[in-house]
Amino acid sequence: MSRSFLGWPAFPEAAAREVGNRQLRENVRRATHTIRGKRAVLAAERPDWEQLRDSAAAIKDRVLAGLEGYLLQVEEKVTAAGGTVHWARDAAEANRIVTDLVRATGEREIVKVKSMLTEEIGLDAALEAAGINARETDLAATIVQLGDDLPSHVVVPALHRNRSEIRDIFAREMGRHGRPAPEGLTDDPAELAEAARLHLREKFLGAKVAVSGANFVVAETGTLVVVESEGNGRMCLTLADTLISVVGIEKTVPRWQDLEVLLQLLARNATGERMAPYTSTWTGTVDGDGPRDFHLVLVDNGRTRALADPVGRQALRCIRCGACMNTCPVYERTGGHAYGSVYPGPIGAILNPLLRGLDDPQTASLPYASTLCGACNEVCPVRIRFTDVLLDLRAQVADGGRHPVERVALNTVGAAMQRPLLWKAAVKGAGLLGPLLPARTPVPGWTDNRALPDVPGESFRTWWKRNEGERA
């Protein structure tokens, strides 16, 4: 069974449930503080850190400005190198393409490299419905899959689990899907890693088909790049006969030279390392080396919608490092599941509405999952202005008629402020009636967790005139 976020409640409801989980809060806090501490040390050692961020943002903006041309270049280069390029407008089309490709091989069990896009489109569930068993091979993704859980972080999907919980999942579930966990397994990290290594080794050696994502696709050569920490990705990318890579169209970069900037930022921000232990690149197919068949599925699934948003399009710069989550006070207290998506935290609060639209109450609630403190702006390696996008999305939600009472109230105040005599009378009246106003407003949510301040007995203009007059 593959769980999904389908039908997930809006953020306030989901968050109210998650913040009551003390173990979750402790797990998330410990993990995010560890990663962001390591990141801060490595960022500080680079005197050109801010210039790297500027360069990365410029590279991604260049891609977005000429995306169609770069994608056609990718198709040309991949085809020339022996690969086959497929285009998918949405999740359903991408899932159908991948399912048909796997069916054509006759295989019923495949291995996967950790990929947020395949989580986004629900590929595992689609393959499962077609009778195909897709086994995750990244350690954290394996923990999530064995536990019939959902990812809570883009880099560390099982960040919400501690060692004891992982031991219990391994002991209970590994035997149902292949090699069982060793007898007497403890929660020692080395023992857990060895259990996972033995379990996954069988999968690597037996699989004929592998599915991956990609961190980047280099347009000038048609080369795909996967960055990872465990080597599982390289096993999948090299041992399988057929490799299917499912990639979002925004992952394109123009030149190899651009990787110099992006790879330095990705590792430092994602895991607090100077460079990732494994960076795998491949271009098409080569006789006698690696997969015989290579398919690249380029997926839109809302990205052109996001690209059309003049403020929100900057979210497509994201390189999925997770730095925004590791510094977000809201994410730290709610964890990732509250966001109802494989993209949680600040990037999820803006990317999900941009990809899926604001018609759904769940996505419309996400732009409000922020204190607007701006910590995410300060750490983003590609300089996404999260707070700008959040405020713009909130305005779009309000313009869509989702807050009619607040809209009427603000329009009334705005109309009064444009008429000085009326505004002066309203302020004076508020001062006189202030002590009589209730402590809670009739508008749901506004005073549930905060008190209204007392209304001053006189306006600022009156106070100023009185004090200036006294000085004169």
Side-chain angles (χ1 to χ4, degrees):
M1 179 179 177
S2 298
R3 291 183 65 198
S4 76
F5 286 109
L6 190 65
W8 209 255
F11 184 83
E13 182 182 344
R17 183 180 61 208
E18 298 296 320
V19 295
N21 186 337
R22 181 177 178 180
Q23 184 66 62
L24 170 79
R25 295 201 312 273
E26 289 180 0
N27 294 347
V28 173
R29 184 178 188 282
R30 185 182 305 113
T32 55
H33 281 237
T34 299
I35 298 172
R36 81 191 208 195
K38 294 167 64 178
R39 173 203 173 275
V41 171
L42 294 181
E45 72 179 15
R46 289 297 301 256
D48 59 346
W49 185 250
E50 297 305 321
Q51 287 76 18
L52 278 173
R53 294 175 69 200
D54 291 338
S55 298
I59 290 168
K60 298 298 287 186
D61 281 346
R62 180 182 170 194
V63 170
L64 298 178
L67 186 57
E68 181 179 357
Y70 291 124
L71 289 172
L72 292 174
Q73 190 177 8
V74 168
E75 182 180 37
E76 177 190 346
K77 297 297 182 181
V78 170
T79 303
T84 304
V85 176
H86 309 261
W87 300 86
R89 284 166 295 191
D90 53 28
E93 190 168 13
N95 289 333
R96 179 183 58 74
I97 291 169
V98 177
T99 301
D100 289 347
L101 290 171
V102 178
R103 275 177 170 158
T105 67
E107 295 297 316
R108 285 294 175 265
E109 181 167 295
I110 68 170
V111 290
K112 285 181 64 192
V113 185
K114 174 176 165 289
S115 157
M116 300 312 299
L117 179 58
T118 60
E119 297 282 354
E120 173 192 325
I121 64 177
L123 179 62
D124 285 11
L127 291 171
E128 185 180 12
I132 299 166
N133 184 16
R135 303 310 304 174
E136 298 287 349
T137 60
D138 171 85
L139 177 56
T142 298
I143 294 166
V144 170
Q145 186 179 45
L146 288 173
D148 192 23
D149 202 348
L150 292 165
S152 63
H153 192 281
V154 295
V155 177
V156 196
L159 172 138
H160 56 291
R161 296 290 192 185
N162 61 28
R163 289 184 293 166
S164 296
E165 292 172 313
I166 294 168
R167 176 203 57 203
D168 294 343
I169 291 171
F170 280 8
R172 185 180 69 242
E173 298 294 334
M174 275 186 168
R176 299 180 58 223
H177 303 278
R179 180 171 179 146
E183 289 290 333
L185 180 68
T186 73
D187 64 359
D188 178 71
E191 284 195 33
L192 294 174
E194 180 64 8
R197 186 178 293 112
L198 294 172
H199 179 80
L200 293 172
R201 181 75 57 171
E202 289 186 350
K203 304 297 182 187
F204 293 132
L205 296 178
K208 302 297 182 186
V209 180
V211 170
S212 82
N215 295 92
F216 307 103
V217 181
V218 182
E220 69 176 358
T221 58
T223 302
L224 279 74
V225 183
V226 161
V227 179
E228 41 128 2
S229 299
E230 301 162 13
N232 66 294
R234 186 162 296 176
M235 297 283 274
C236 294
L237 299 170
T238 54
L239 292 178
D241 293 334
T242 299
L243 174 61
I244 305 168
S245 299
V246 189
V247 182
I249 56 176
E250 84 283 11
K251 293 298 182 71
T252 308
V253 296
R255 306 167 301 170
W256 265 91
Q257 188 177 355
D258 299 324
L259 296 178
E260 177 190 350
V261 174
L262 295 167
L263 290 175
Q264 291 187 72
L265 289 167
L266 180 57
R268 283 175 165 82
N269 282 283
T271 53
E273 299 168 296
R274 291 186 178 87
M275 64 180 294
Y278 293 88
T279 300
S280 301
T281 67
W282 68 101
T283 307
T285 58
V286 177
D287 288 340
D289 185 11
R292 293 195 298 269
D293 294 313
F294 169 56
H295 298 269
L296 171 61
V297 184
L298 290 168
V299 182
D300 184 322
N301 203 37
R303 282 154 179 77
T304 52
R305 178 211 293 265
L307 189 62
D309 188 309
V311 179
R313 65 185 308 176
Q314 61 184 295
L316 296 177
R317 294 178 192 159
C318 178
I319 57 174
R320 308 289 191 267
C321 68
C324 59
M325 295 164 212
N326 300 335
T327 195
C328 176
V330 176
Y331 177 88
E332 182 177 318
R333 284 153 183 81
T334 65
H337 293 165
Y339 296 81
S341 166
V342 297
Y343 304 118
I347 188 61
I350 62 174
L351 189 60
N352 291 306
L354 289 164
L355 294 178
R356 292 151 53 188
L358 292 165
D359 296 334
D360 181 82
Q362 198 276 330
T363 52
S365 71
L366 293 177
Y368 298 90
S370 170
T371 63
L372 298 178
C373 68
C376 43
N377 295 345
E378 298 302 314
V379 298
C380 178
V382 287
R383 294 200 183 281
I384 297 172
R385 290 286 304 175
F386 288 88
T387 47
D388 291 356
V389 184
L390 287 165
L391 289 172
D392 187 66
L393 288 169
R394 290 182 186 187
Q396 293 182 39
V397 172
D399 288 343
R402 288 195 177 275
H403 305 295
V405 177
E406 290 91 334
R407 188 175 183 80
V408 169
L410 292 174
N411 285 343
T412 302
V413 172
M417 293 179 77
Q418 295 177 41
R419 297 168 176 78
L421 291 178
L422 179 59
W423 179 244
K424 185 176 180 180
V427 171
K428 187 174 182 180
L432 293 173
L433 297 174
L436 305 177
L437 294 176
R440 296 172 64 87
T441 72
V443 182
W446 279 83
T447 52
D448 288 351
N449 297 295
R450 55 184 180 269
L452 280 176
D454 294 334
V455 178
E458 61 181 354
S459 70
F460 174 76
R461 287 174 181 273
T462 304
W463 176 88
W464 180 264
K465 185 180 295 183
R466 176 166 55 79
N467 283 274
E468 284 299 294
E470 288 174 356
R471 288 177 190 170

